[in-house]
Every structure is written in structure tokens, then in C-alpha cells.
Amino acid sequence: MPASVLVGAQWGDEGKGKATDALGSRVDYVVKFNGGNNAGHTVVVNGETYALHLLPSGILTPGCTPVIGNGVVVDLGVLFEEIAELSERGVDCSRLLVSANAHLIAPYHRTVDKVTERFLGRRRIGTTGRGIGPAYADKMNRVGVRVQDLFDAGILRQKVEGALDQKNHLLTKVYNRRAITVDEIVDELLSYSDRMRPMVRDTGLELVRALDAGRTVLFEAGQATMLDVDHGTYPFVTSSNATAAGACTGSGVPPNRIDRVIAVVKAYTTRVGEGPFPTELLDEDGERLRASGGEFGTTTGRPRRCGWYDAPIARYAARINGVTDLVLTKLDVLTGWEKVPVCVAYEVDGERVEEMPMTQSDFHHARPVYQFFDGWEDDITGCRSVAELPVAAQGYLQALEDLSGAPISAVGVGPGRDQTVVVRDLL
Ligand code: GDP
Ligand code: IMO
Ligand code: MG
């Protein structure tokens, strides 16, 4: 399969990092196409744990070229910190390529992110505070600063002036903060330009040429379907397209080059930050899932909200992304429950609905309709085939496949690279 996209089906943290890393040795390029260092991907290789934020998970695979596409927003300080940390641990980061068209996150984006959240009060989104929304807002508002601007000091200054003009009014007059000077921003950004130069490319051209030459490309989404700015639970979303279509706009590779769409989905559901979540468990069952799944944010350390598997969301993700394969993760976390509930539909105003409701108000009021499946007791972390799984776990898998709109091609039974049951070949 020359070009495949890997996305999250729920609200993030499905285990995309582990899945991408596992496929890394089979592909020539791993491309991040959306988001920035709001992402947190934990990858465990030979007992060593890596937490990746801005770098594509392919960075851990020697021989694979990691690419930061034009759709990503790049915080240069974070980029070089992450490169330094990985290099210290012996990871070769010299193959990394960064799109000249990617936008930069500047210090004022982080400031605006934090003050906006504070002023929203009870209506806050619960962002990661990394400046993601304000950086994308500047991009859309056509006052963004791009990677290529680092190589033309005159243009960089003009762009920073343009971006700061309105923001300083906002910061000083509305939010009562100090003004940010053009000099401090330009000096900081220029301090990275020499180190950036060797990795900056027309990555769209590079990727299409690579595909023409028969190379393989895996696009790795940050965030997930329900956090997509167009298709997620707006306004409780991130500010980019985390769905499969974003791989094209965020990389410069056209849709007809992509032939496989893999969605990673957790065997239950989690969410970080605010917003509707029909199957959320606010009782000790939620606590139990959080504890056994280690559900604490990789980026902000916040406890993740936990709930049961939501099949309408999986079906929605299958439709929006054109999913060809599901990777079901963390099945091992469900070991030990007598019964495992699965949300098969919603009840909205007394009516049963099988699809995502059209309006956000209805989704807020959607109550899960549960079907209960038999649980299992045996440890499954050593299983490597479906036949080795307890019969009840096999039944749970089959039920999820029947309910979720796409075949399950792999099942995660632990965080390690090899802790996967492969049902059918993914690439
Ligand atoms: P991502 O943002 O989608 O890459 O996911 P995160 O890395 O934020 O969160 C997933 C967490 O689950 C990480 O700590 C992974 O190491 C871990 N993980 C991934 N797959 C499995 C699995 O099948 N079983 C268990 N127990 N942990 C897993
Ligand atoms: P990965 O790639 C889970 C959530 C935040 C917040 C909302 C907006 O690890 O799955 P932002 O800072 O993006 O403006 O915050 O989106 N969020 C994530 N939740 N996993 C992520 O990434 C997330 N990235 C952003 O918690 O609710
Ligand atoms: Mg994560």
C-alpha cells in the first residue's frame, strides 16, 4: 500500500503512537499533517518509554524519514528540545524534514491561548495551553508566520509586526497584560533559523516524488475524529482537521494517492478537556478504568475522563474517514470485568438513534443505550493470536467489529511494540 493514513477514531489518546511506531519499519516516510505539540504519543520500545509531542512517531524507526507537513503548527523551542532529548537517548533525528509552509507557534500564541481560556471561565475548552488555536487562527486570518519566513529577516519582521499589531491591543486593553515587542519575537525566531535550514523542504513535492518512485508513506494524525474542527464536537475540539481528509491538505499529497485508512480505537473511551461524552462514567467504574488503563494525559498530565465503548462514534469515524481497518487498542485493560457494557445507540428525547445526532444540543442530551457482553478473567497480555484470547474476549471483539463499521485488523494487548494480535496485514 503506497500511502495510508492513520487517524484516531475517538477523542484522542487511542494509541496512535504505538500503532505508527509498529508500522514504521514497513514504510519509508511517516508524515505528521495536523496539530502540533498538543499531541502526546507514548511509544514503548524494548521497555524504554518515549513521549513524543511534535515529532512524528516514525522518528524512532531507523531508515524511516519523519516529515512535519505544512498542516502542522510548529513551536521551534519545543522542536529543538524534543530533538535534543531524543538525541541524548541515542535516537537519530537527522532525517527529519519540515515543510517550508508549516506555520509557527510564537510565544504570543501561548499567551493568547491561556488568557482566552481564563476569560472563557466556565465555557472554557480545556486546551493544552500550547498556543494551538491562536496559531491556526492567525493562519486563517492571514497573519501567520511560516517556517520559510525564518530565512528572510525583513519579511519575518513585517509579518511579526502584522501579527502583533492587533494582539497587543487585545493583550493590553482587554486582558490587562503587558505588550509584546516585535524585537523579542524576531530575535527569538531568528535564533533558530540556521539550525532549521538543513531540514526545511518543499515536503509536498518530496512526498509525491517518493510515491512516484514506489516508496511508501504513512500519514499520522494528531488528535482524533471527535476533536476535528469540522467533524468533532465543536466548539470542544482542536483547531485542525484530524480526520483522514486533513492528510491531503496538511501534506500536499492528493486524495487519489491514498488507498488505506486505518483508525485506532480504544476498547473503551477517554476524553481530556471539556465537552460532551455520552458514555462517561463518573462513578467508581470510571476510576477503575482510569487506574487500570493508566489514563493520565501524556502532554498535560490531566486525568482522562473514562467511559465505555461508544459504537455510534466508531461508526461515525468509519464513515467520516473512510476507514478500511480498525486497530483496537487496550483490550487488556478490560480484563477482570464480569460484564462489559457497549453503547450500541443513543436515546435522544425518548427516541432511539443509531447515528451521531445532527445538533450539538442533541448530542449533549444523548443517553447511551447499552448492550452487555461477558467479561474475561485471564491475563491476555501474552496473547498473539485471536485463537489464544479467552472465548469471551473473542466475543467482545466480534461484537465491536459488527457494530463499528469496519474490520478489526489488529488488537493491542499491552503497551509494548510486540504486544499486538495481528488479525490481517495492515500495509
Ligand atoms: P496517542 O496519543 O493516540 O498516541 O495515545 P497516547 O500515547 O496518548 O495514549 C495511549 C497510551 O496507551 C500510551 O501510554 C500507550 O503506551 C498505551 N497503549 C497503547 N496501546 C496499548 C495497549 O494495547 N494496551 C495497553 N495496556 N496500553 C496501550
Ligand atoms: P493526541 O494526539 C487528547 C484536546 C484538549 C482540549 C482540546 C483543544 O495525543 O491524541 P488544543 O490545545 O488542541 O487547542 O485543545 O483538544 N486535545 C487532546 N486530547 N489527545 C490529544 O492529542 C489532544 N490534543 C488536544 O484536551 O480538550
Ligand atoms: Mg496522546
Side-chain angles (χ1 to χ4, degrees):
M1 289 291 167
S4 306
V5 187
L6 185 140
V7 298
Q10 297 153 320
W11 277 286
D13 306 322
E14 295 90 350
K16 298 176 293 293
K18 178 192 155 182
T20 304
D21 169 69
L23 296 170
S25 59
R26 317 264 303 271
V27 295
D28 299 303
Y29 293 84
V30 170
V31 185
K32 185 172 163 107
F33 61 85
N34 76 301
N37 56 310
N38 47 347
H41 305 308
T42 303
V43 180
V44 184
V45 185
N46 302 327
E48 286 264 323
T49 301
Y50 299 88
L52 302 168
H53 298 284
L54 184 51
L55 294 172
S57 304
I59 196 95
L60 299 176
T61 313
C64 163
T65 302
V67 178
I68 292 181
N70 58 276
V72 174
V73 284
V74 180
D75 186 321
L76 294 170
V78 171
L79 178 69
F80 287 107
E81 242 169 63
E82 223 170 297
I83 290 176
E85 271 170 33
L86 287 180
S87 303
E88 237 165 65
R89 296 175 69 181
V91 177
D92 173 19
C93 297
S94 65
R95 292 159 288 122
L96 178 69
L97 302 180
V98 181
S99 167
N101 288 347
H103 280 246
L104 297 178
I105 299 179
Y108 47 83
H109 293 129
R110 290 193 295 271
T111 308
V112 172
D113 194 354
K114 285 178 188 146
V115 292
T116 310
E117 281 283 277
R118 203 167 308 142
F119 272 70
L120 276 172
R122 275 180 43 246
R123 288 176 297 119
R124 71 184 181 278
I125 310 295
T127 72
T128 59
R130 302 297 193 263
I132 305 294
Y136 279 114
D138 275 4
K139 172 178 174 173
M140 291 305 173
N141 216 10
R142 293 158 297 183
V143 290
V145 180
R146 295 190 292 175
V147 165
Q148 58 184 279
D149 300 327
L150 295 171
F151 310 129
D152 186 330
I155 287 284
L156 179 69
R157 174 167 287 276
Q158 272 180 33
K159 296 210 166 163
V160 172
E161 272 167 5
L164 274 182
D165 205 25
Q166 293 171 340
K167 261 172 226 85
N168 272 335
H169 282 293
L170 190 74
L171 286 173
T172 54
K173 292 178 186 152
V174 181
Y175 295 129
N176 209 15
R177 306 277 292 219
R178 79 170 178 88
I180 297 167
T181 67
V182 173
D183 279 341
E184 65 187 285
I185 300 298
V186 169
D187 289 350
E188 179 176 333
L189 295 179
L190 282 179
S191 73
Y192 296 111
S193 57
D194 285 347
R195 275 187 287 167
M196 278 302 284
R197 203 178 284 272
M199 39 180 132
V200 177
R201 291 283 192 293
D202 179 342
T203 47
L205 177 65
E206 168 113 11
L207 290 169
V208 169
R209 281 193 176 152
L211 286 168
D212 286 344
R215 305 248 146 70
T216 47
V217 177
L218 178 65
F219 294 94
E220 177 196 24
Q223 295 75 54
T225 304
M226 301 307 284
L227 288 172
D228 181 285
V229 67
D230 282 279
H231 303 292
T233 47
Y234 189 90
F236 302 102
V237 292
T238 191
S239 298
S240 67
N241 286 117
T243 44
C248 298
T249 50
S251 73
V253 172
N256 58 353
R257 304 305 292 261
I258 292 168
D259 33 31
R260 203 143 183 184
V261 180
I262 301 160
V264 185
V265 67
K266 227 179 259 195
Y268 49 97
T269 311
T270 64
R271 169 161 211 174
V272 196
E274 306 302 318
F277 179 178
T279 63
E280 181 171 20
L281 294 164
L282 296 164
D283 54 10
E284 63 263 28
D285 284 355
E287 290 288 346
R288 182 172 160 193
L289 276 179
R290 186 174 308 117
S292 46
E295 297 296 353
F296 295 89
T298 310
T299 299
T300 57
R302 289 178 287 179
R304 293 175 182 151
R305 300 158 62 191
C306 296
W308 298 118
Y309 191 84
D310 187 324
I313 283 179
R315 289 197 292 271
Y316 178 69
R319 167 162 64 87
I320 290 282
N321 294 291
V323 172
T324 56
D325 302 83
L326 287 170
V327 171
L328 188 84
T329 59
K330 298 194 131 177
L331 186 65
D332 54 301
V333 173
L334 294 181
T335 299
W337 292 81
E338 200 182 320
K339 289 278 176 195
V340 187
V342 170
C343 167
V344 294
Y346 302 128
E347 199 185 287
V348 181
D349 292 335
E351 268 186 47
R352 183 186 166 107
V353 291
E354 311 275 338
E355 294 284 340
M356 278 285 294
M358 184 180 78
T359 68
Q360 183 79 348
S361 306
D362 279 353
F363 191 57
H364 267 281
H365 298 137
R367 297 228 317 269
V369 175
Y370 284 119
Q371 201 174 322
F372 295 83
F373 294 88
D374 287 338
W376 57 93
E377 286 293 334
D378 301 336
D379 178 9
I380 61 169
T381 55
C383 296
R384 295 295 175 268
S385 69
V386 175
E388 288 170 66
L389 291 170
V391 174
Q394 293 184 32
Y396 184 71
L397 275 186
Q398 189 59 55
L400 294 197
E401 176 159 295
D402 294 344
L403 287 164
S404 302
I408 296 174
S409 296
V411 183
V413 292
R417 207 182 234 180
D418 62 323
Q419 287 183 299
T420 304
V421 170
V422 178
V423 182
R424 67 181 72 76
D425 228 8
L426 270 170
L427 291 178

